Amino acid sequence: MWKTLVYSSLLIASANLSLLPYSVQAQTETNNPPASTYQPGFWQPVARVNTEKPISLKIINETGIALDYSFTDETLTPTVLRADDNVTIKSLNPEDSIYLVIYPDLNIPNASRINLQYLVEVTENNMINLTVKQIEDVGKGNRTFNLQPTGAIFLY
């Protein structure tokens, strides 16, 4: 029985290690074109920042409506971003994961039915431009921006 357990453990470990190059390669967005194993989805970072340099985030509201945004920290205090305005948040520290929720202002009728899409661009000076737009397709909508300690950026 002990031999069976050892062989099973080795088989599982070997299988996991054999998949490792594919999972690491699939998460690398800097390949152009992406790796042949790349599978688009929420598990892929949409962009990366350099965590060794100061990081800034610019939220650009192109929705035509007011938005509320808030970091999901202990305060969770929403801030209003007026229609077609923008705000820059400087000196982000992704030592722990940063989660930022952005949603239509709750004073707007049927706010929960409005679909938003986030577009991310990272500039050479480590500025994250997060453009928010209204869309019709519910399946492509976003409500959460996530910056990981590795510099990977995810949208949910």
Side-chain angles (χ1 to χ4, degrees), residues 28-60:
T28 306
E29 191 174 84
T30 56
N31 294 344
N32 191 8
S36 61
T37 57
Y38 176 84
Q39 294 294 316
F42 67 89
W43 56 85
Q44 299 288 346
V46 296
R48 292 186 182 274
V49 291
N50 183 346
T51 58
E52 301 298 316
K53 296 180 179 178
I55 302 169
S56 296
L57 172 66
K58 182 176 187 179
I59 305 170
I60 306 162

Side-chain angles (χ1 to χ4, degrees), residues 83-97:
D84 304 315
D85 203 356
N86 63 69
V87 64
T88 301
I89 303 162
K90 296 183 180 188
S91 301
L92 289 179
N93 182 4
E95 191 173 288
D96 296 321
S97 286

Side-chain angles (χ1 to χ4, degrees), residues 18-119:
S18 67
L19 294 174
L20 185 61
Y22 297 108
S23 63
V24 170
Q25 190 174 21
Q27 290 184 12
T28 306
E29 191 174 84
T30 56
N31 294 344
N32 191 8
S36 61
T37 57
Y38 176 84
Q39 294 294 316
F42 67 89
W43 56 85
Q44 299 288 346
V46 296
R48 292 186 182 274
V49 291
N50 183 346
T51 58
E52 301 298 316
K53 296 180 179 178
I55 302 169
S56 296
L57 172 66
K58 182 176 187 179
I59 305 170
I60 306 162
N61 182 356
E62 292 185 358
T63 63
I65 61 172
L67 298 174
D68 292 336
Y69 68 93
S70 176
F71 289 99
T72 60
D73 57 15
E74 62 279 347
T75 61
L76 218 107
T77 305
T79 303
V80 176
L81 180 58
R82 293 186 314 251
D84 304 315
D85 203 356
N86 63 69
V87 64
T88 301
I89 303 162
K90 296 183 180 188
S91 301
L92 289 179
N93 182 4
E95 191 173 288
D96 296 321
S97 286
I98 293 173
Y99 290 90
L100 175 74
V101 291
I102 306 172
Y103 47 92
D105 186 78
L106 297 178
N107 294 319
I108 297 172
N110 297 317
S112 65
R113 295 181 182 214
I114 297 172
N115 301 305
L116 304 177
Q117 183 176 38
Y118 304 168
L119 305 169

Side-chain angles (χ1 to χ4, degrees), residues 101-145:
V101 291
I102 306 172
Y103 47 92
D105 186 78
L106 297 178
N107 294 319
I108 297 172
N110 297 317
S112 65
R113 295 181 182 214
I114 297 172
N115 301 305
L116 304 177
Q117 183 176 38
Y118 304 168
L119 305 169
V120 173
E121 175 194 15
V122 177
T123 67
E124 288 181 17
N125 61 349
N126 229 25
M127 167 78 78
I128 303 166
N129 289 323
L130 177 61
T131 304
V132 184
K133 298 179 178 242
Q134 272 195 66
I135 59 168
E136 294 296 321
D137 189 352
V138 175
K140 296 187 184 215
N142 303 113
R143 287 286 199 251
T144 306
F145 166 91

